[in-house]
Amino acid sequence: MKKNILFSAVSGTDPISKNSDGPLLHICRKYRPTEIYLYLSKEMLELHRRDDRYCLSLNKLGEKLGCTFTIEVIERPELDNPHVFDIFYKEFRSILNNIWEKHEGEDFDFLLNVSSGTPAMEAALQTLAAFGENKYIPIQVTSPAKGGNFPKEDFIIEKVWATNKDNEEKYCDRCVVSENLNLVEEIRYGIIRRHLKVYDYIAANTVANTCNHLSDVILAMLEASEDRFRLDLDKVEVLQKQYDFNFMPATDARYQMNIEYLLTLDIKRKRKEYVDFIRGVTPIILDLLEIYLSNILNINIKDYCETFASGKVCITQRKLKKTEKGRDILEKLEGGFKKRAAKGYNDRLPYSSEHLRILIESYGNDRNVFAMVAELRTVEIKVRNLAAHVIICLTEDKIKKECGKSPDDIMNILWELARKAGIIQNEDIQSSYRNMNDQIIQQIYSGNKNVSFS
């Protein structure tokens, strides 16, 4: 169960004034924090040491509500001029970060009382709530309509408690989430939007987790976008069913992972992450050639493969020689490799796109496919193998210089080969991530927001 934690300075209206709760007590009455951190300057600390008014009142409230407050007092006896913003911003940031780290991994909301303390204290807390690295919820408490303050030197708990109108069953709730957050939320929405536009889903989620007003649906959509980019499609499917949205393009389930892999590879190209892009081409080249052989040329190459203890996968003569079709495939492989190596075909070498290229050229008749496969093999040999084994910086110009093709050219060849292999059923697939981003952005700005604290 989610718990609340409260950080609060105190001021002259705490704990009770005008026959009503001061901000500290009123926030605790509504939100019932399990832990309360009280920050006391010199003047407030003297009152605390004199009659324990803050803790006595909180404990009295806890008894009435049937809950227990764990109270930690942060004493600053040297603080006799509590009006300098910079002092409090730095110290409050340190204190709040330490409290947050203490509860890292727990399910909690961190409340800040921005109605107690000096103006400098309140401003520092408002600023941290708006721009701090953690998610804080600033709570304001409006003043009661009328009533009298109790003198600072005259605090008798029984007397002030008995006249506190907020102890009535139907008390007036004066807590509100600070309206200053509205502008900050809009700024954060804009940052999320910019991250989505450049396909940075981790950053978008990081910012979203600091927002207060995003609905569970939007948070689930953002989480699913990050999971999708990681190719965790099972998790995406769970979130889509739970929150009733759909990101995945309609496609044959057999080829969904291939399509999603192509899409993530395309994003790496768009983000100019060329080393990762080039390293990632070999698995999809192999898959597309296998699918082309199966769908177009009716050859299931996996029927002739063996996996050895080392994990190596080979097209073996033992498997090939079992059938007439296999023997014909072996003949084609031996002929193809003899053209490239004096020793001919070695069935103990891991099978690669070169094996599939030979078979496609031997059994196929689509010269456009032959050309595409040859171009992708050149990319593998001249660029991919270099990027896979050497620490290197790859630019668009360097890739084109090495293999004669730009990253855009390579991606276009992969998409065209996917079409030739019969795994693309509609042309909207390539815009799938852009459509997903637009769907999330539309939800964020459509007013589909829920305010947890109001």
Side-chain angles (χ1 to χ4, degrees):
M1 182 178 178
K2 180 178 285 190
K3 64 181 180 180
N4 293 327
I5 295 171
L6 173 65
F7 177 85
S8 176
V10 297
S11 54
T13 56
D14 293 310
I16 298 172
S17 67
K18 298 184 178 180
N19 301 323
S20 302
D21 294 337
L24 167 63
L25 209 62
H26 205 65
I27 292 172
C28 293
R29 187 181 297 276
K30 178 174 182 178
Y31 297 111
R32 305 188 183 193
T34 55
E35 296 179 27
I36 303 169
Y37 295 85
L38 296 182
Y39 183 91
L40 304 183
S41 62
K42 179 180 179 181
E43 183 181 9
M44 301 299 110
L45 181 59
E46 289 173 352
L47 297 175
H48 166 68
R49 289 174 174 174
R50 178 187 304 166
D51 51 36
D52 197 24
R53 62 182 62 189
Y54 311 114
C55 294
L56 280 176
S57 299
L58 288 168
N59 289 331
K60 195 82 171 173
L61 177 62
E63 291 175 8
K64 177 176 176 60
L65 299 177
C67 60
T68 301
F69 301 127
T70 300
I71 305 168
E72 180 174 325
V73 177
I74 301 169
E75 299 184 353
R76 293 294 183 265
E78 73 285 357
L79 190 58
D80 55 0
N81 183 28
H83 301 286
V84 181
F85 171 84
D86 286 346
I87 293 175
F88 294 116
Y89 181 81
K90 293 174 183 178
E91 183 174 25
F92 286 172
R93 180 178 59 188
S94 176
I95 293 171
L96 296 181
N97 282 341
N98 289 337
I99 296 171
W100 188 280
E101 289 173 5
K102 176 182 174 183
H103 296 279
E104 194 75 53
E106 298 178 17
D107 190 13
F108 69 97
D109 283 319
F110 203 147
L111 314 181
L112 305 180
N113 176 4
V114 295
S115 290
S116 292
T118 64
M121 294 178 181
E122 294 173 6
L125 291 174
Q126 285 277 25
T127 303
L128 286 165
F131 301 107
E133 59 191 270
N134 300 315
K135 181 178 178 180
Y136 304 114
I137 301 173
I139 307 295
Q140 290 180 317
V141 179
T142 59
S143 299
K146 57 184 178 179
N149 289 329
F150 286 93
K152 292 180 180 179
E153 66 278 2
D154 179 22
F155 186 89
I156 302 171
I157 185 63
E158 289 78 10
K159 177 182 176 181
V160 297
W161 190 257
T163 58
N164 184 355
K165 295 179 180 179
D166 285 326
N167 283 323
E168 297 173 2
E169 185 175 349
K170 295 183 179 181
Y171 76 97
C172 176
D173 177 11
R174 294 178 279 114
C175 292
V176 292
V177 176
S178 173
E179 292 183 0
N180 289 347
L181 277 185
N182 292 339
L183 175 60
V184 176
E185 288 285 286
E186 289 298 322
I187 293 171
R188 287 173 176 161
Y189 298 161
I191 294 171
I192 293 171
R193 180 179 179 275
R194 287 193 289 275
H195 284 315
L196 291 174
K197 289 294 185 181
V198 296
Y199 308 98
D200 192 342
Y201 300 104
I202 295 174
N205 268 288
T206 300
V207 176
N209 288 329
T210 67
C211 294
N212 295 301
H213 297 172
L214 290 179
S215 70
D216 291 341
V217 173
I218 294 171
L219 292 174
M221 293 171 81
L222 286 164
E223 182 181 352
S225 69
E226 184 178 341
D227 293 329
R228 184 187 184 190
F229 186 69
R230 288 200 305 262
L231 298 176
D232 190 350
L233 304 187
D234 289 340
K235 189 172 178 185
V236 174
E237 187 64 28
V238 169
L239 289 168
Q240 287 186 150
K241 287 182 179 179
Q242 183 177 355
Y243 291 96
D244 192 26
F245 60 87
N246 184 36
F247 289 157
M248 310 288 236
T251 187
D252 189 320
R254 293 174 298 170
Y255 309 128
Q256 186 176 52
M257 183 60 82
N258 304 110
I259 293 293
E260 290 296 324
Y261 188 92
L262 278 166
L263 288 166
T264 60
L265 200 62
D266 203 9
I267 288 173
K268 293 181 187 299
R269 175 192 64 84
K270 291 174 181 176
R271 288 166 57 170
K272 300 184 179 181
E273 297 173 0
Y274 292 135
V275 172
D276 287 343
F277 170 72
I278 290 296
R279 286 173 180 165
V281 299
T282 289
I284 194 62
I285 291 173
L286 203 61
D287 279 2
L288 292 177
L289 297 186
E290 283 180 4
I291 295 168
Y292 184 86
L293 275 172
S294 177
N295 288 354
I296 309 304
L297 303 178
N298 198 28
I299 297 173
N300 186 353
I301 200 66
K302 292 294 179 67
D303 291 343
Y304 309 104
C305 291
E306 291 188 64
T307 302
F308 296 91
S310 63
K312 181 173 63 174
V313 180
C314 302
I315 304 173
T316 64
Q317 294 192 37
R318 189 182 74 82
K319 282 286 191 85
L320 289 166
K321 289 178 178 179
K322 286 183 176 182
T323 65
E324 182 178 347
K325 187 173 184 178
R327 289 189 290 272
D328 189 62
I329 291 172
L330 177 58
E331 182 180 335
K332 298 294 191 297
L333 289 172
E334 286 178 334
F337 275 99
K338 278 181 181 178
K339 293 178 182 178
R340 295 161 178 77
K343 294 182 179 179
Y345 179 58
N346 182 351
D347 72 349
R348 286 299 179 265
L349 290 177
Y351 102 91
S352 68
S353 56
E354 180 62 15
H355 296 75
L356 306 184
R357 188 188 72 79
I358 291 170
L359 296 179
I360 288 172
E361 290 183 358
S362 298
Y363 290 101
N365 57 16
D366 190 331
R367 295 190 176 277
N368 288 330
V369 172
F370 298 169
M372 286 189 285
V373 176
E375 288 164 344
L376 291 174
R377 282 294 295 147
T378 300
V379 172
E380 284 192 293
I381 294 167
K382 293 192 173 182
V383 188
R384 187 269 169 191
N385 292 341
L386 181 66
H389 299 104
V390 178
I391 298 174
I392 189 173
C393 170
L394 284 180
T395 63
E396 184 174 354
D397 290 341
K398 185 171 181 61
I399 292 170
K400 191 166 185 177
K401 180 180 178 181
E402 293 294 329
C403 68
K405 298 293 178 184
S406 70
D408 290 2
D409 295 333
I410 295 167
M411 198 67 231
N412 288 335
I413 294 170
L414 289 170
W415 282 119
E416 184 58 27
L417 185 57
R419 292 185 186 91
K420 292 283 188 178
I423 71 172
I424 293 183
Q425 297 177 349
N426 66 76
E427 292 304 314
D428 292 335
I429 282 177
Q430 286 179 245
S431 59
S432 175
Y433 265 80
R434 186 172 68 249
N435 294 339
M436 177 182 73
N437 295 343
D438 291 343
Q439 189 177 341
I440 296 171
I441 291 167
Q442 183 180 7
Q443 282 282 6
I444 290 174
Y445 287 100
S446 69
N448 184 20
K449 307 162 190 174
N450 64 340
V451 182
S452 299
F453 291 82
S454 58

